[in-house]
Amino acid sequence: MASNLYQRYFWLINVIYRNKRITLKDINDKWLNCSFSNGVTIPRKTFNNHRNTIEEIFDINIECDRATNEYYRYVSVVVAERLRRKSCPERQQGDKKQNSV
């Protein structure tokens, strides 16, 4: 059961990341085409619970633009810096060289 929840979290993160901004209706349209949806949409309360859990576990914020009702991935400055460093190892080596001088 826990692995099914993690599959849902990864799926949701991936869908929002690939679409940049997406409504819950569009998320559910994509979800219904997914093999582990069992033909059942994601209720808003469940979606919000998933958003909160994703933030707690992965430090990824899924925010809502109230003007358009679109969800998007929000990355804080601290998380963005951490991701930048992880994705750019040559930058880290340069930082270490500068710090050692």
Side-chain angles (χ1 to χ4, degrees):
M1 175 132 171
S3 77
N4 185 21
L5 276 176
Y6 278 98
Q7 285 178 333
R8 283 176 169 230
Y9 301 152
F10 292 135
W11 180 88
L12 187 55
I13 292 166
N14 189 37
V15 165
I16 293 171
Y17 178 77
R18 286 179 179 222
N19 290 275
K20 307 296 183 218
R21 299 174 74 86
I22 187 169
T23 64
L24 183 56
K25 180 195 177 312
D26 292 336
I27 290 170
N28 270 315
D29 289 346
K30 291 179 181 302
W31 175 248
L32 290 173
N33 291 322
C34 181
S35 63
F36 47 84
S37 74
N38 297 322
V40 179
T41 61
I42 303 171
R44 182 171 300 278
K45 181 174 171 110
T46 301
F47 174 75
N48 287 325
N49 289 338
H50 287 354
R51 287 176 53 205
N52 293 334
T53 303
I54 287 168
E55 182 177 357
E56 289 174 15
I57 294 173
F58 304 109
D59 203 16
I60 296 172
N61 298 336
I62 299 171
E63 299 290 333
C64 180
D65 181 344
R66 299 281 182 202
T68 62
N69 286 326
E70 292 175 318
Y71 292 91
Y72 60 94
R73 191 184 76 174
Y74 171 78
V75 179
S76 68
V77 174
V78 173
V79 173
E81 178 64 19
R82 202 176 326 143
L83 291 172
R84 184 189 63 78
R85 288 180 183 256
K86 285 183 180 179
S87 66
C88 187
E90 57 278 350
R91 171 81 177 153
Q92 287 179 324
Q93 291 172 352
D95 288 349
K96 288 179 185 175
K97 288 178 186 174
Q98 288 175 353
N99 291 337
S100 64
V101 174

